[in-house]
Amino acid sequence: MEVNQFTALYFSWEKTSSLFFIATGLIGITTALFLWQKTGSEILRLAPYPLIIFGSLSLIVGCTIFFRTDAQVSGLLSLVQLDATTYFQQELERITSVNQNWALYKWGELLVIATSLIVIMIFPDKSDLLGLALASIMIAVPLLTLDIIGERNGLWYMAKITSYKGSL
């Protein structure tokens, strides 16, 4: 597989993933707005907050990736034609940094999930905390899933860059 091919493939995965982040964000925000209309239920009182917070972050991340990807790919494909050495150096530095950040994202999401499960077990009779915990799990699990997939894609791309750079 040539540099142009694996670069375009990786970024097509990124752009597709960004659509899932956007969808997760919109679902979280829409659900939160719906739940705020149902204020009569104690279990729903705190549930909108994690949905709005994580939904907004997911929407921002998804839109940022989606709208920058085409220009980024175009620039990289031009750079590899003009100066392959610079492309490999810059892109290897960038993807290494990206891959190092996955652990932080995953640990954060796992912390939210674990804390929520503990709250569910310790305070089963506290409806507002139960709603908060369930909503936190509801939004954190898809984000964790997307980050695990993103990490795998990033590691694949880094291996392709490293392998191809070594053959120059």
Side-chain angles (χ1 to χ4, degrees):
M1 183 178 291
E2 294 296 317
V3 176
N4 290 353
Q5 292 172 314
F6 71 72
T7 300
L9 181 59
Y10 168 74
F11 282 100
S12 72
W13 293 340
E14 284 292 292
K15 196 161 184 177
T16 300
S17 180
S18 74
L19 294 174
F20 285 101
F21 274 100
I22 291 168
T24 300
L26 290 173
I27 290 169
I29 292 167
T30 303
T31 303
L33 295 174
F34 173 78
L35 293 178
W36 264 321
Q37 302 301 313
K38 305 294 181 188
T39 55
S41 173
E42 191 176 324
I43 196 168
L44 301 179
R45 190 170 66 84
L46 297 178
Y49 295 101
L51 297 174
I52 282 288
I53 292 167
F54 289 107
S56 296
L57 290 172
S58 181
L59 183 61
I60 291 167
V61 167
C63 286
T64 300
I65 293 169
F66 184 84
F67 290 113
R68 79 163 184 229
T69 297
D70 291 340
Q72 188 176 10
V73 171
S74 178
L76 288 170
L77 295 180
S78 294
L79 180 61
V80 78
Q81 297 302 319
L82 295 172
D83 185 358
T85 303
T86 301
Y87 162 84
F88 286 113
Q89 178 186 349
Q90 288 180 356
E91 204 46 10
L92 192 55
E93 285 177 22
R94 187 194 68 79
I95 198 64
T96 299
S97 175
V98 167
N99 286 338
Q100 289 170 346
N101 290 330
W102 292 118
L104 176 66
Y105 305 146
K106 292 188 309 183
W107 278 112
E109 291 149 355
L110 287 169
L111 180 63
V112 168
I113 294 166
T115 301
S116 297
L117 291 171
I118 291 168
V119 166
I120 290 168
M121 296 305 293
I122 293 176
F123 303 107
D125 57 334
K126 301 282 188 191
S127 293
D128 55 347
L129 291 179
L130 183 62
L132 177 73
L134 291 172
S136 296
I137 291 170
M138 188 173 94
I139 194 84
V141 168
L143 294 177
L144 176 61
T145 303
L146 290 169
D147 287 341
I148 291 168
I149 293 167
E151 179 182 40
R152 297 288 304 221
N153 293 342
L155 292 171
W156 176 87
Y157 182 55
M158 188 168 77
K160 287 290 189 187
I161 291 170
T162 303
S163 172
Y164 204 89
K165 181 181 178 187
S167 69
L168 291 180

